[in-house]
Amino acid sequence: QVQVVESGGGLVQAGGSLRLSCAASGSILILNSITWYRQAPGKQREFVGVSMGGGRTNYADFVKGRFTISRDNVKNTVYLQMNSLKPEDTAVYFCNVAATTTDLRSVTAWGQGTQVTVSS
């Protein structure tokens, strides 16, 4: 089993910064990817960015240049550094973990989400 916990959300003024964390735990052999999504009220969940093996990252166009994903493989944690935040970034941010477990199963797991609110 793999457990996922997001943290770091909060209330920030427009132009400010927050750093979210996504920590995976459990019977993890390989952390294949961690993907960040967000869901604003009344909207569908949307892709924000992903950390893949080998240090590769990819981002949605609307966060390029503002958000950065980094990874701590020892802690099985991925960080989402969010700068120059805008009110439209207000959403619940979720991470999805894709991992290979110690018994060689491929699993995915979601965290519970963390609220980010950006005031104008």
Side-chain angles (χ1 to χ4, degrees):
Q1 284 284 48
V2 174
Q3 296 80 43
V4 180
V5 177
E6 302 101 334
S7 61
L11 173 64
V12 64
Q13 289 188 331
S17 299
L18 281 174
R19 189 177 80 155
L20 307 184
S21 299
C22 174
S25 62
S27 305
I28 298 170
L29 178 64
I30 301 171
L31 197 59
N32 296 313
S33 66
I34 295 183
T35 307
W36 285 99
Y37 296 86
R38 70 185 188 184
Q39 188 166 18
K43 295 188 177 181
Q44 290 189 331
R45 192 168 296 190
E46 61 182 355
F47 169 80
V48 174
V50 59
S51 169
M52 297 173 282
R56 294 173 297 149
T57 55
N58 193 24
Y59 300 93
D61 286 344
F62 57 79
V63 301
K64 284 182 179 178
R66 299 190 298 127
F67 292 9
T68 304
I69 294 174
S70 61
R71 186 167 175 162
D72 185 332
N73 287 319
V74 174
K75 296 181 179 179
N76 283 337
T77 298
V78 165
Y79 304 97
L80 180 65
Q81 178 66 43
M82 306 187 295
N83 298 328
S84 302
L85 283 162
K86 305 175 182 179
E88 52 264 42
D89 293 319
T90 295
V92 179
Y93 285 70
F94 298 88
C95 63
N96 178 268
V97 168
T100 302
T101 61
T102 52
D103 57 353
L104 303 181
R105 292 181 297 118
S106 294
V107 299
T108 62
W110 287 94
Q112 81 290 348
T114 186
Q115 175 71 47
V116 171
T117 303
V118 184
S119 63
S120 57

